[in-house]
Amino acid sequence: MGSIYGDWLRAQREAAGLTQQELANRAIMTRSHIAHIEGGRRIPSREDASRLDRALGTGDVLASFLPQDDDTIADYFEPARQLEQQAVEIREFAHSYVPGILQTERYARSVIGAAFPPKSEAERDRHVVTRLERAKILDDPVTPVMWVLLDEAALRRPIGSPQVMAEQIRYLIELTERDRIRTHVISLSVGTYPLLQGMLSLMWFEDQPPAAYSEGISTGRVHDSPELVRQLQARYSLALGDALPLRESLALMRTIAEEHEQHE
């Protein structure tokens, strides 16, 4: 994101005679989030932009002129997508689906095809392209460093077809075996654990504090409160402690891929 949006927000805040903390209090946001938006390092969600408009009395200017118009990306996810592209380390957790950034084309098409309301074939094509574009950050052999924590259920649930699932799992295995990502699986035998409520991404950066992104059904939010980010990092660490070691995770993934292949 360029700095024009952030500069305009800063100008409006200063014209209103507000400090970053005072604006944050009015908009029910954190001061650090305001600072990152003004500095051009982050983009607010549409909900955050609307709250800023209300706090500053700027009508719907901030919500209307968010610097993105790609309708293949949910409004609530766009801030996380921007951060994902800047991160030097990403730790993903998922319990239902393989994380979007790691999805194969056919798996992504199956996930997107299950959306409601239904999408046309052309719309699905555009969404798939957007999702695959995100994955290009993995073309760099080193950065971002990526850890992936997967519930076993995400590997066993038949998304698309057994062939699609086998292909997806073997792609994860290939990325892991060449040390591009590090994958750990939480066995179904574990039962409950601290991350089971939803999807989580943790991100670290060279020039700004770490952030987190959590997602539920048609909702998602970037978290930059230092205390909350630390809590989410701790939850991830506790869940990782319940996961299988790397070699055992790979062995389980191979077994599950073979089981899917046997059902073709």
Side-chain angles (χ1 to χ4, degrees), residues 16 98 141:
V98 171

Side-chain angles (χ1 to χ4, degrees), residues 9 13 18-35 37 44-56 221-225 228:
L9 172 60
R13 173 180 62 77
L18 299 174
T19 65
Q20 288 181 342
Q21 186 60 62
E22 288 169 339
L23 176 57
N25 292 342
R26 287 191 183 188
I28 317 175
M29 298 168 65
T30 64
R31 187 208 63 76
S32 61
H33 194 34
I34 299 290
I37 295 170
S45 65
R46 193 164 297 279
E47 179 185 349
D48 284 347
S50 294
R51 286 205 298 268
L52 287 168
D53 273 326
R54 289 194 294 271
L56 290 167
R221 187 168 184 82
V222 169
H223 307 281
D224 61 2
S225 164
L228 179 54

Side-chain angles (χ1 to χ4, degrees), residues 107-120 124 127-128 131:
Y107 184 95
R109 189 174 298 278
S110 298
V111 172
I112 292 166
F116 184 86
K119 294 177 173 57
S120 68
R124 275 181 278 178
H127 280 261
V128 169
R131 192 157 298 184

